[in-house]
Amino acid sequence: MSSVIASTRFSVLDRSRTREGQDVPRALRDTVRLAQQVEELGFHRFWVSEHHGVPGVAGSAPTVLAAAVAAATSTIRVGTGGVMLPNHQPLVVAEQFGVLESLFPGRIDMGLGRSVGFTDGVRRALGREKDDAEDFGAQLDELLGWFEGTRPPVHARPSEGLRVPPFVLATGEGAGIAAAAGLPLVIGDLRGRERLLSAIEQYRTGFRPSPWAAEPYVVVAGTVAVAATEEEARRLLVPEAWAMAHARTHGTFPPLAPAERIEAMTMTEKERGLHASGLRGHLHGTEDVVRDALEGVIKDTGADEVLVTTSTYDRAALLDSFRRLAHIADLPSSRGDFTPRPSQNRA
């Protein structure tokens, strides 16, 4: 067992991706079920995301979904990756997390991002402008102030006085904002290694201790796919890679399709290039290959935690990937009887 991997936490982010032939309610129920499964495997956290008006993503209300996940689990930490703070009033966000922490004390994380709606139509519906993201630092300060009770005469109930760990999702200036605020940093993806390392260096250099964190804490996020063979692991990446290629060529983000159907498609040259690009750079392969790759990433970044963001059509194969990752990481429930999914190689 690698001592580097053994000293690192492993967590999961699920974006409630829809799948061909399955409706949105099914995607949300699948998220809750996956949380139960990764809790059984011994992962540290389970986070859900916020997307508005995206056909292929069911997760639009992360604090509501986090409540359902927390109610269906008992030990795993539950949170958001993240609530997009520019889309909301900080007081309301504080109140929502205060309720979550009151109902599930000691298990709630408050992951916060600075993105606004992806399209003009969504931003108008949210009552936001594209440049609202520039106010993220001030919004973050206000949000934390509601927990600290420093914004009289109004008092946030039941949030004031509670300690819900905040995390900053780094996009653009996010690393510098996290450092200045003295908060843990969540950063990806693993494919852009130079940019990733530069942002982490900026964060550690600029970090100022705060009441929320005495020292830097880095969570690196990205796709990790583990299977019995290299080819099976690569095929786990195919549905999401195609969804991204389709979105960039057609302007709509589709539900995940089976890898077999995608591989049989006739793609345009542009689609084929984007799809191939979407397959490159992720951590995938057999357990031995992924173990070595993870060790390299953790050594390079000094990460305290790895947040796995893998999405694919085949939910059984996805769960098997998490089982194998739990085995690599020697998570408590993976010790003893480990029975991964048998190889599904076609003749």
XYZ file of all heavy atoms in Angstrom, residues 30-83:
387
model
N -30.837 8.061 -8.433
C -29.563 7.357 -8.606
C -28.436 8.050 -7.835
O -27.527 7.391 -7.323
C -29.200 7.277 -10.093
C -29.983 6.205 -10.831
O -30.592 5.335 -10.165
O -29.997 6.233 -12.075
N -28.481 9.373 -7.770
C -27.481 10.101 -6.983
C -27.560 9.709 -5.520
O -26.532 9.461 -4.867
C -27.676 11.619 -7.147
O -27.294 12.004 -8.466
C -26.833 12.401 -6.148
N -28.766 9.663 -4.982
C -28.937 9.289 -3.574
C -28.448 7.862 -3.342
O -27.752 7.576 -2.352
C -30.407 9.446 -3.145
C -30.614 8.948 -1.718
C -30.838 10.911 -3.258
N -28.770 6.960 -4.268
C -28.319 5.578 -4.124
C -26.802 5.470 -4.217
O -26.172 4.726 -3.462
C -28.981 4.708 -5.214
C -28.543 3.247 -5.186
C -28.836 2.602 -3.850
N -28.346 1.228 -3.794
C -27.848 0.667 -2.705
N -27.778 1.362 -1.565
N -27.417 -0.579 -2.720
N -26.203 6.231 -5.115
C -24.741 6.198 -5.232
C -24.090 6.683 -3.938
O -23.065 6.134 -3.504
C -24.291 7.050 -6.411
C -22.777 7.091 -6.666
C -22.253 5.687 -6.992
C -22.444 8.062 -7.796
N -24.670 7.684 -3.307
C -24.133 8.160 -2.033
C -24.122 7.038 -0.992
O -23.157 6.876 -0.239
C -24.956 9.344 -1.525
N -25.198 6.277 -0.948
C -25.242 5.147 -0.010
C -24.152 4.125 -0.333
O -23.507 3.572 0.565
C -26.614 4.480 -0.073
C -27.756 5.373 0.413
C -29.117 4.764 0.139
O -29.343 4.133 -0.894
N -30.047 4.952 1.074
N -23.937 3.883 -1.605
C -22.948 2.891 -2.023
C -21.523 3.334 -1.718
O -20.718 2.545 -1.229
C -23.126 2.585 -3.512
C -24.430 1.851 -3.814
C -24.791 1.862 -5.286
O -24.461 2.796 -6.026
N -25.484 0.826 -5.732
N -21.206 4.601 -1.995
C -19.833 5.039 -1.724
C -19.598 5.216 -0.232
O -18.464 5.099 0.248
C -19.463 6.313 -2.520
C -19.572 6.068 -4.009
C -20.265 7.516 -2.096
N -20.663 5.475 0.527
C -20.530 5.462 1.983
C -20.128 4.072 2.460
O -19.220 3.922 3.295
C -21.841 5.881 2.643
C -21.793 5.832 4.173
C -23.104 6.233 4.820
O -24.124 5.545 4.592
O -23.104 7.243 5.553
N -20.778 3.054 1.923
C -20.437 1.675 2.276
C -18.995 1.337 1.918
O -18.338 0.540 2.597
C -21.384 0.702 1.572
C -22.826 0.776 2.065
C -23.786 0.003 1.170
O -23.315 -0.627 0.204
O -25.001 0.046 1.439
N -18.476 1.962 0.861
C -17.108 1.707 0.423
C -16.073 2.454 1.263
O -14.880 2.181 1.157
C -16.942 2.085 -1.049
C -17.677 1.195 -2.054
C -17.590 1.787 -3.454
C -17.103 -0.223 -2.033
N -16.508 3.417 2.062
C -15.584 4.104 2.957
C -15.064 5.437 2.466
O -14.095 5.967 3.026
N -15.685 6.028 1.433
C -15.247 7.340 0.964
C -15.577 8.408 2.015
O -16.490 8.251 2.823
C -15.898 7.681 -0.375
C -15.286 6.939 -1.532
C -15.723 5.654 -1.859
C -14.267 7.495 -2.275
C -15.159 4.948 -2.918
C -13.696 6.811 -3.334
C -14.135 5.534 -3.658
N -14.811 9.508 1.962
C -14.881 10.517 3.020
C -16.066 11.470 2.859
O -16.749 11.786 3.839
C -13.574 11.316 3.038
C -13.500 12.325 4.143
N -13.544 11.963 5.478
C -13.375 13.688 4.120
C -13.447 13.048 6.230
N -13.354 14.107 5.437
N -16.289 11.971 1.635
C -17.372 12.925 1.368
C -18.151 12.500 0.132
O -17.630 11.807 -0.740
C -16.839 14.338 1.059
C -15.869 14.920 1.995
C -15.439 16.313 1.521
N -14.148 16.660 2.096
C -13.990 17.164 3.308
N -15.032 17.408 4.069
N -12.776 17.438 3.759
N -19.373 13.012 0.047
C -20.175 12.893 -1.168
C -20.800 14.253 -1.421
O -21.564 14.767 -0.592
C -21.272 11.831 -1.014
C -22.015 11.558 -2.290
C -21.573 10.587 -3.170
C -23.164 12.275 -2.611
C -22.257 10.333 -4.356
C -23.850 12.031 -3.788
C -23.386 11.057 -4.665
N -20.464 14.830 -2.578
C -20.950 16.160 -2.922
C -21.835 16.127 -4.152
O -21.698 15.263 -5.029
C -19.772 17.098 -3.187
C -19.076 17.595 -1.949
C -19.334 17.251 -0.657
C -18.002 18.540 -1.907
N -18.494 17.917 0.198
C -17.657 18.716 -0.550
C -17.300 19.253 -2.876
C -16.639 19.586 -0.145
C -16.289 20.112 -2.468
C -15.963 20.270 -1.121
N -22.734 17.112 -4.229
C -23.611 17.279 -5.394
C -23.402 18.682 -5.965
O -22.844 19.560 -5.303
C -25.091 17.050 -5.016
C -25.302 15.607 -4.581
C -25.532 18.010 -3.901
N -23.866 18.901 -7.212
C -23.509 20.129 -7.920
C -24.737 20.963 -8.274
O -25.885 20.544 -8.072
C -22.737 19.784 -9.191
O -23.564 19.046 -10.079
N -24.466 22.156 -8.817
C -25.527 23.079 -9.222
C -25.399 23.419 -10.706
O -24.385 23.969 -11.141
C -25.452 24.380 -8.409
C -26.447 25.442 -8.866
C -26.352 26.738 -8.072
O -25.849 26.707 -6.927
O -26.782 27.780 -8.592
N -26.416 23.085 -11.481
C -26.488 23.456 -12.900
C -27.923 23.871 -13.199
O -28.869 23.230 -12.746
C -26.093 22.286 -13.802
C -24.660 21.873 -13.643
N -23.629 22.459 -14.320
C -24.099 20.923 -12.855
C -22.485 21.900 -13.982
N -22.734 20.963 -13.087
N -28.082 24.926 -13.981
C -29.417 25.420 -14.311
C -29.644 25.351 -15.820
O -28.800 25.796 -16.603
C -29.585 26.866 -13.830
C -29.445 27.027 -12.348
N -30.439 26.672 -11.463
C -28.412 27.470 -11.595
C -30.033 26.901 -10.230
N -28.803 27.390 -10.280
N -30.785 24.778 -16.206
C -31.173 24.764 -17.608
C -30.307 23.899 -18.497
O -30.245 24.132 -19.703
N -29.637 22.888 -17.926
C -28.779 21.989 -18.712
C -29.523 20.671 -18.905
O -29.773 19.957 -17.923
C -27.426 21.748 -18.017
C -26.549 20.822 -18.858
C -26.712 23.076 -17.769
N -29.883 20.307 -20.126
C -30.702 19.109 -20.353
C -30.100 17.825 -19.793
O -30.826 16.948 -19.338
C -30.804 19.045 -21.881
C -30.565 20.435 -22.351
C -29.597 21.032 -21.381
N -28.778 17.697 -19.817
C -28.160 16.448 -19.389
C -27.831 16.367 -17.919
O -27.240 15.379 -17.469
N -28.198 17.394 -17.134
C -27.859 17.415 -15.710
C -29.117 17.686 -14.896
O -29.796 18.696 -15.100
C -26.793 18.494 -15.396
C -26.398 18.431 -13.929
C -25.560 18.308 -16.277
N -29.431 16.790 -13.962
C -30.648 16.936 -13.161
C -30.433 17.775 -11.913
O -31.394 18.280 -11.330
C -31.168 15.550 -12.763
N -29.189 17.926 -11.475
C -28.908 18.594 -10.209
C -28.959 20.100 -10.313
O -27.972 20.738 -10.681
N -30.085 20.710 -9.977
C -30.237 22.165 -10.052
C -30.365 22.813 -8.676
O -30.226 24.032 -8.557
C -31.463 22.521 -10.889
O -32.635 21.931 -10.336
N -30.652 22.028 -7.643
C -30.878 22.562 -6.298
C -30.018 21.786 -5.308
O -30.494 20.885 -4.624
C -32.361 22.458 -5.928
N -28.724 22.102 -5.223
C -27.800 21.243 -4.479
C -28.090 21.121 -2.986
O -27.887 20.050 -2.420
C -26.432 21.877 -4.731
C -26.722 23.271 -5.172
C -28.025 23.212 -5.898
N -28.561 22.192 -2.336
C -28.829 22.046 -0.909
C -30.036 21.142 -0.657
O -30.074 20.410 0.337
C -29.034 23.413 -0.241
O -30.045 24.151 -0.938
C -27.742 24.220 -0.247
N -31.015 21.179 -1.555
C -32.161 20.272 -1.425
C -31.707 18.831 -1.631
O -32.066 17.916 -0.860
C -33.254 20.636 -2.442
C -34.403 19.634 -2.374
C -33.772 22.044 -2.200
N -30.903 18.601 -2.664
C -30.420 17.247 -2.940
C -29.491 16.773 -1.827
O -29.516 15.601 -1.437
C -29.712 17.219 -4.292
C -29.245 15.856 -4.804
C -30.386 14.837 -4.807
C -28.651 15.996 -6.212
N -28.661 17.674 -1.291
C -27.788 17.303 -0.184
C -28.595 16.845 1.031
O -28.189 15.926 1.751
C -26.884 18.472 0.192
N -29.738 17.470 1.260
C -30.594 17.050 2.377
C -31.089 15.626 2.168
O -31.113 14.814 3.105
C -31.774 18.011 2.522
N -31.479 15.303 0.921
C -31.939 13.944 0.633
C -30.809 12.948 0.808
O -31.009 11.838 1.345
C -32.495 13.879 -0.792
N -29.602 13.312 0.372
C -28.449 12.429 0.509
C -28.107 12.219 1.982
O -27.865 11.091 2.433
C -27.238 13.009 -0.248
C -25.956 12.265 0.122
C -27.470 12.945 -1.753
N -28.077 13.295 2.745
C -27.739 13.180 4.167
C -28.765 12.332 4.915
O -28.414 11.559 5.811
C -27.635 14.569 4.793
N -30.039 12.463 4.533
C -31.086 11.683 5.193
C -30.970 10.199 4.872
O -31.399 9.351 5.674
C -32.459 12.204 4.780
N -30.404 9.879 3.711
C -30.303 8.481 3.281
C -28.996 7.830 3.694
O -28.790 6.639 3.445
C -30.452 8.407 1.758
N -28.086 8.595 4.310
C -26.793 8.078 4.742
C -26.622 8.358 6.225
O -27.461 9.013 6.847
C -25.656 8.732 3.936
O -25.751 10.166 4.067
C -25.731 8.350 2.455
N -25.504 7.881 6.795
C -25.353 8.073 8.236
C -23.961 8.508 8.670
O -23.815 9.103 9.747
C -25.727 6.779 8.979
O -24.918 5.704 8.541
N -22.934 8.240 7.892
C -21.575 8.551 8.334
C -20.802 9.444 7.366
O -19.966 10.239 7.786
C -20.761 7.264 8.540
O -20.731 6.515 7.313
C -21.366 6.402 9.644
N -21.034 9.327 6.084
C -20.274 10.078 5.098
C -20.594 11.567 5.205
O -21.731 11.939 5.503
C -20.569 9.557 3.671
C -19.500 10.032 2.676
C -21.967 9.932 3.213
C -19.581 9.325 1.324
N -19.583 12.426 5.005
C -19.840 13.852 4.954
C -20.583 14.177 3.659
O -20.337 13.551 2.621
C -18.538 14.647 5.032
C -17.774 14.467 6.356
C -16.707 15.540 6.516
N -17.322 16.866 6.615
C -17.764 17.421 7.752
N -17.676 16.746 8.891
N -18.292 18.635 7.742
N -21.466 15.150 3.723
C -22.322 15.497 2.584
C -22.213 16.997 2.325
O -22.222 17.803 3.259
C -23.789 15.119 2.864
C -24.692 15.557 1.716
C -23.910 13.611 3.097
N -22.116 17.353 1.045
C -22.022 18.775 0.756
C -22.233 19.090 -0.704
O -22.796 18.293 -1.466
N -21.760 20.269 -1.088
C -22.032 20.793 -2.417
C -20.728 21.092 -3.136
O -19.788 21.615 -2.553
C -22.855 22.086 -2.320
O -22.167 23.023 -1.479
C -24.227 21.792 -1.733
N -20.711 20.773 -4.416
C -19.511 21.035 -5.206
C -19.845 21.704 -6.522
O -19.589 21.134 -7.561
N -20.398 22.893 -6.473
C -20.741 23.596 -5.252
C -22.023 24.387 -5.466
O -22.616 24.379 -6.542
N -22.397 25.126 -4.452
C -23.402 26.168 -4.619
C -22.720 27.347 -5.301
O -21.676 27.825 -4.842
C -23.976 26.598 -3.258
C -24.725 27.912 -3.369
C -24.891 25.520 -2.716
